[in-house]
Amino acid sequence: MAEPRIEVMYETLVKKVRAYHPNPQLELLRKSYEFADRAHQGQKRSSGEPYLTHPIGVADIIADLKLDIASLCAGLLHDVVEDTSFTMEDLTVNFNSEIAYLVDGVTKLSKLRFNTSEERQAETIRKMIVAMSRDLRVVLVKLSDRLHNMRTLDFLEPSRQRRIAQETMDIYAPLANRFGINWVKTELEDSAFRSLEREAYYELARKVAKKKKERERYVKDVIAVLRKAAEDGHLSAEVQGRPKHFYSIWRKMQAREVEIDEIYDIVAFRILVNETNQCYEALGIVHNLWRPLPARFKDYIAMPKPNGYQSLHTSVIGPYMQPIEIQIRTQEMHQIAEEGVAAHWVYKEGKASPVQDVSKFTWLRQLIEDFQEVSDPKDFLERLKLDLFAEEVFIFTPKGDIRALPVGATVVDFAYAIHTEVGNHCAGAKVNNQIVPLHHELKSGDMVEILTRPNQHPNKDWLEHVKTGRARSKIKHYLLTEARERAIELGQEYLDTELRKHGTSLKAVQKKGQLKEVLELVRLQTTEEMFIKLGYGTLSVGTVVKKLIPDLEKKESAPPPPESTLGQISQRVKKIFSRRTGVRVDGVDDDLMVRYARCCAPIPGDEIIGFITRGRGLTVHRADCPRIDYLESERQIEVHWDERSIKDQNITRLVRVEVITRDERGLLAEMTAAFSTAGINIHGAHCEVKKAGGAVNIFDLMVTDRAQLDRALDRVARLAGVIKVTRVRN
């Protein structure tokens, strides 16, 4: 049986629930309380108090949010599975699946093993987000749990305080903001601020308290002026003035690099009316009273925030020439602004009817979809913080739909917000009917039309410009998938080439099923995994070939040929490879095996870099090849074009170019003539006329060097009817 003081806490909770719930199931609530009491019997908090004070405190905050009985029960039981011997099955049997589901959604994964604390944090938050996508009550219970923990944070050791406070600032305060629960967000931020910047917090508190009387008098004066103006305008309105919370003031001081004495708008005023049209009437009254500050007006009524927040924001030069911020909204808007999603909880005929339309939170739906592609805990948390914390701009599609993006978001961010495939093939955009580049930053009110092209794909440079976690994770996913596919292709090519030297082929050994036998010998699960390792060079081709052709080791152990024969072979090898290469490596003999990367098709004149493969010699890449980032840095070496070798042997390389043109008679002949005049042979061509007009022409050209290619492309670009000329991947 709980001690008397805790019983009083529980009875206070019951009174609070009775005040808003027309017909609460108090028997179920009592049962949850008694179950939690038994489960946590003998456990103490860091403060020395009985552990049960925490679940009751969490339930009390849930009652402040006016949630249903199932949520209150989940608050009382939320630590039972994590901190006691009871299981989720016990909760389902003793209560119901609804309560068990809510508890499961907020339960940490403490019983599983993770390599790092970061992995544990990421998986815990991932699990909570997936659960709340099905039932929003999960996040409301979790926020209540975190808020009560922050209220009692001072009893923990400093290192734990900082860790929990930082997590609160990074994840939970932004979550509360995303769901529009302003009072929870504000308290979480101030509590975290106090732990993370204790000295700054108390110094600010001291300075704010010092001017308390002066500020209260100023607030009283402003409210009186606003009330009088509303009455004169025959507008029924409630006027409020409140000091901004400490973290908000401190952040403003940091951004402006000033002291609190130079921050005048530390008080926000609010005008509450009954109807939406009265909001705009009130705005007119305010602007007639005081001069508005330019570029400081925001209409969140016409363009609500993604969390449903609606209000008019304006800043004016008020009494004593001090700037003041005024928010204007209806009473209903105010309730939603303070309580967020919890404001949609209504009780009809004694039953709770929560908001079930999770789809209205598009950011949450996208978050769930995208997290399926994010396996690395660091990427997961980075993506989450990016999407939760950013201030927003509102962008229009050509159809008039609105997309909310973080400040500083670019065309690519917007493209991925529309659809993954639109992002992957984004080639540019029209912003307010003007063509702009991919890195163009968008501003609120912009109307954006994304331009796509089938052969356009993401590259690593995009990562430098995007702001949203969604765009960043999609680009990384594409680049990694592309690198993986290329590695498989290279691995297959390497193995097939080596097998052909010994009278067989990859196709032949696959047909015989020999590769499955080799997998066990090299301790791999799939042939795909083997090809990837071969492609990246982490598995030797020779090792696999020896497993496939056991007799090979006997042949290799045969007596060496006479010295004269070795000399002949060496000379022949040198002759073959010196004829093929066209590149040199300082301090390395001419007989180094060199091959050119097909992924970027380098040609003389390009900046290049070499990659030493295992058993395949040197592969030459263009210095800007996207694949370089995925190759082991310790095996990358500096290489140079051997101009003498290129000139003597008349080496030519295959290059692919794309020419976008208008669909005009005779233009193809002019392009081929331009290539021919430059001394370039056309190895292959593919031309396609698009339905929307224009044509895409792909040419495979045999060129001697970059200068020859540039001259030819310049000639083609100057032809009438040619829109764009680009060198593309082979």
Side-chain angles (χ1 to χ4, degrees):
M1 183 71 182
E3 60 181 67
R5 182 170 63 88
I6 295 179
E7 187 69 26
V8 171
M9 290 175 65
Y10 174 73
E11 290 302 328
T12 303
L13 169 67
V14 170
K15 287 180 183 177
K16 189 177 285 190
V17 174
R18 285 185 185 276
Y20 71 83
H21 201 304
N23 186 23
Q25 293 175 276
L26 295 179
E27 307 83 17
L28 188 58
L29 190 66
R30 182 78 195 185
K31 184 179 178 182
S32 300
Y33 163 64
E34 292 175 351
F35 192 95
D37 181 27
R38 288 197 309 275
H40 294 295
Q41 196 67 45
Q43 293 181 350
K44 300 282 186 182
R45 301 201 80 207
S46 298
S47 62
E49 292 183 307
Y51 195 88
L52 193 58
T53 58
H54 172 60
I56 295 176
V58 172
D60 191 72
I61 294 170
I62 292 170
D64 288 335
L65 291 170
K66 299 181 175 61
L67 302 189
D68 60 349
I69 292 297
S71 302
L72 290 160
C73 292
L76 290 168
L77 299 167
H78 77 277
D79 275 337
V80 164
V81 175
E82 182 181 345
D83 293 335
T84 77
S85 59
F86 287 101
T87 65
M88 207 58 67
E89 289 75 16
D90 293 328
L91 292 187
T92 305
V93 170
N94 282 277
F95 298 94
N96 55 50
S97 57
E98 181 185 19
I99 292 172
Y101 179 81
L102 295 177
V103 172
D104 188 43
V106 297
T107 298
K108 294 176 184 173
L109 307 185
S110 56
K111 311 232 175 189
L112 300 181
R113 292 183 179 178
F114 297 99
N115 295 325
T116 65
S117 60
E118 193 171 48
E119 278 190 30
R120 182 187 303 281
Q121 182 195 36
E123 285 304 320
T124 300
I125 295 169
R126 187 200 297 265
K127 182 182 180 188
M128 181 188 70
I129 288 174
V130 171
M132 79 187 189
S133 72
R134 299 175 193 148
D135 194 324
L136 291 176
R137 289 175 295 179
V138 169
V139 76
L140 301 179
V141 174
K142 184 60 184 178
L143 287 172
S144 302
D145 174 36
R146 178 51 60 114
L147 182 55
H148 189 263
N149 278 328
M150 292 302 292
R151 287 174 177 175
T152 55
L153 197 62
D154 288 343
F155 294 101
L156 301 180
E157 59 184 30
S159 61
R160 284 192 67 198
Q161 284 187 37
R162 290 190 63 81
R163 180 181 61 78
I164 294 170
Q166 191 63 59
E167 185 182 68
T168 299
M169 195 70 87
D170 288 344
I171 304 295
Y172 292 100
L175 259 182
N177 181 53
R178 276 291 191 171
F179 283 103
I181 314 171
N182 186 61
W183 69 270
V184 172
K185 171 233 178 193
T186 298
E187 188 176 341
L188 286 175
E189 284 183 341
D190 276 356
S191 298
F193 173 43
R194 187 177 66 246
S195 294
L196 293 171
E197 303 286 347
R198 189 170 291 273
E199 197 173 304
Y201 176 88
Y202 284 110
E203 176 67 12
L204 182 61
R206 185 183 64 78
K207 289 180 177 179
V208 169
K210 188 177 179 181
K211 294 196 171 186
K212 185 179 179 182
K213 287 186 179 179
E214 181 184 327
R215 188 172 59 254
E216 286 176 346
R217 186 169 61 252
Y218 179 75
V219 169
K220 189 176 179 182
D221 290 347
V222 172
I223 288 176
V225 172
L226 286 171
R227 281 177 179 163
K228 176 76 165 52
E231 288 172 8
D232 291 346
H234 307 289
L235 179 67
S236 174
E238 178 185 343
V239 183
Q240 302 172 346
R242 58 170 182 82
K244 292 182 177 178
H245 63 292
F246 286 175
Y247 179 65
S248 173
I249 298 170
W250 183 77
R251 197 168 59 172
K252 193 166 286 190
M253 289 167 59
Q254 297 300 303
R256 298 180 187 175
E257 297 182 346
V258 296
E259 291 298 317
I260 189 170
D261 295 338
E262 299 174 72
I263 301 288
Y264 298 107
D265 53 343
I266 66 172
V267 177
F269 293 90
R270 189 176 292 139
I271 300 174
L272 304 180
V273 294
N274 297 316
E275 304 292 338
T276 301
N277 64 320
Q278 293 176 331
C279 293
Y280 295 95
E281 288 180 41
L283 180 69
I285 290 171
V286 170
H287 285 181
N288 279 331
L289 265 179
W290 298 303
R291 180 167 59 86
L293 289 170
R296 294 294 299 272
F297 170 68
K298 293 178 181 176
D299 188 345
Y300 292 118
I301 294 178
M303 290 191 294
K305 290 187 178 184
N307 61 15
Y309 177 90
Q310 288 184 290
S311 187
L312 297 178
H313 289 195
T314 188
S315 292
V316 297
I317 301 296
Y320 314 113
M321 296 303 290
Q322 289 190 7
I324 57 174
E325 180 185 295
I326 300 174
Q327 300 168 351
I328 305 169
R329 61 180 74 138
T330 66
Q331 295 284 356
E332 183 182 0
M333 290 173 190
H334 179 58
Q335 185 186 9
I336 293 172
E338 290 300 302
E339 300 175 20
V341 66
H344 297 279
W345 234 263
V346 293
Y347 294 88
K348 296 178 181 178
E349 299 174 0
K351 292 183 179 180
S353 176
V355 59
Q356 295 293 343
D357 186 15
V358 179
S359 64
K360 71 186 291 184
F361 297 98
T362 53
W363 64 272
L364 175 58
R365 190 179 66 251
Q366 288 187 346
L367 211 58
I368 302 303
E369 291 172 1
D370 297 346
F371 281 167
Q372 295 172 5
E373 298 173 0
V374 183
S375 56
D376 182 76
K378 274 191 175 180
D379 282 351
F380 172 88
L381 290 175
E382 178 191 359
R383 162 75 211 273
L384 185 63
K385 291 172 189 177
L386 278 173
D387 281 358
L388 290 181
F389 210 58
E391 294 182 21
E392 292 167 321
V393 292
F394 300 92
I395 312 300
F396 290 91
T397 69
K399 293 182 178 179
D401 297 329
I402 298 174
R403 292 287 190 279
L405 295 172
V407 171
T410 63
V411 164
V412 176
D413 290 301
F414 182 77
Y416 278 107
I418 300 298
H419 194 276
T420 300
E421 285 304 301
V422 175
N424 284 344
H425 298 289
C426 176
K430 287 183 180 179
V431 175
N432 305 322
N433 292 318
Q434 297 292 317
I435 296 288
V436 298
L438 294 179
H439 60 266
H440 178 82
E441 286 190 12
L442 302 174
K443 297 179 176 60
S444 270
D446 281 346
M447 196 278 283
V448 181
E449 178 187 355
I450 298 296
L451 308 175
T452 60
R453 213 168 57 224
N455 60 346
Q456 174 76 0
H457 300 292
N459 62 65
K460 64 182 176 63
D461 293 337
W462 288 16
L463 293 171
E464 296 178 13
H465 305 298
V466 295
K467 294 292 182 183
T468 60
R470 175 179 175 82
R472 187 171 296 276
S473 65
K474 292 293 184 183
I475 294 166
K476 284 184 176 180
H477 179 73
Y478 180 89
L479 294 176
L480 289 171
T481 301
E482 183 187 40
R484 180 185 175 88
E485 290 172 356
R486 182 65 184 136
I488 292 171
E489 182 184 334
L490 287 172
Q492 291 172 332
E493 180 188 332
Y494 292 166
L495 184 56
D496 185 58
T497 302
E498 197 66 25
L499 287 170
R500 288 182 184 278
K501 293 178 183 177
H502 302 287
T504 183
S505 67
L506 176 58
K507 190 175 181 179
V509 297
Q510 283 178 317
K511 194 172 182 181
K512 293 177 184 177
Q514 290 176 273
L515 287 184
K516 291 181 181 177
E517 299 171 13
V518 174
L519 288 176
E520 293 182 19
L521 297 172
V522 294
R523 297 179 181 178
L524 296 173
Q525 298 295 319
T526 64
T527 54
E528 186 178 84
E529 188 181 355
M530 182 178 72
F531 291 141
I532 290 171
K533 286 183 173 293
L534 288 172
Y536 282 138
T538 55
L539 174 64
S540 167
V541 178
T543 300
V544 176
V545 171
K546 285 176 183 177
K547 302 294 184 187
L548 287 167
I549 310 174
D551 292 338
L552 189 59
E553 290 188 33
K554 296 177 184 177
K555 293 177 184 177
E556 290 183 347
S557 62
E563 196 172 322
S564 59
T565 308
L566 281 174
Q568 292 171 7
I569 293 173
S570 175
Q571 290 302 316
R572 191 161 66 245
V573 168
K574 283 189 177 185
K575 188 176 180 183
I576 290 169
F577 289 118
S578 65
R579 185 172 66 245
R580 288 181 181 174
T581 62
V583 299
R584 59 182 171 80
V585 182
D586 294 338
V588 178
D589 292 337
D590 290 338
D591 60 352
L592 180 67
M593 183 188 295
V594 174
R595 58 196 304 276
Y596 294 94
R598 290 168 59 188
C599 52
C600 56
I603 60 174
D606 287 333
E607 287 189 31
I608 53 175
I609 191 166
F611 179 74
I612 301 172
T613 65
R614 290 187 171 90
R616 296 286 300 173
L618 180 76
T619 301
V620 179
H621 291 262
R622 279 165 51 185
D624 60 354
C625 176
R627 190 166 176 244
I628 288 293
D629 287 347
Y630 302 97
L631 300 177
E632 298 164 74
S633 57
E634 61 271 18
R635 292 203 278 136
Q636 296 178 23
I637 63 169
E638 188 175 335
V639 295
H640 311 279
W641 291 108
D642 186 352
E643 295 178 8
R644 190 174 188 179
S645 169
I646 294 165
K647 188 175 180 181
D648 290 346
Q649 299 167 45
N650 194 28
I651 294 174
T652 58
R653 299 285 304 149
L654 182 68
V655 172
R656 178 167 291 175
V657 299
E658 177 189 75
V659 186
I660 299 176
T661 68
R662 290 193 285 271
D663 182 18
E664 294 182 359
R665 186 188 299 274
L667 188 52
L668 180 58
E670 291 180 28
M671 288 189 289
T672 55
F675 289 130
S676 179
T677 302
I680 293 175
N681 181 42
I682 299 176
H683 186 72
H686 175 78
C687 305
E688 183 181 357
V689 177
K690 298 296 182 180
K691 290 181 180 178
V696 176
N697 308 273
I698 305 293
F699 295 100
D700 288 334
L701 310 173
M702 300 302 298
V703 303
T704 56
D705 56 29
R706 177 70 176 268
Q708 183 191 38
L709 177 65
D710 288 346
R711 284 194 300 272
L713 297 187
D714 183 57
R715 280 195 181 98
V716 172
R718 282 183 286 166
L719 294 174
V722 171
I723 299 169
K724 188 176 182 183
V725 182
T726 315
R727 180 178 170 185
V728 297
R729 290 180 54 191
N730 291 3

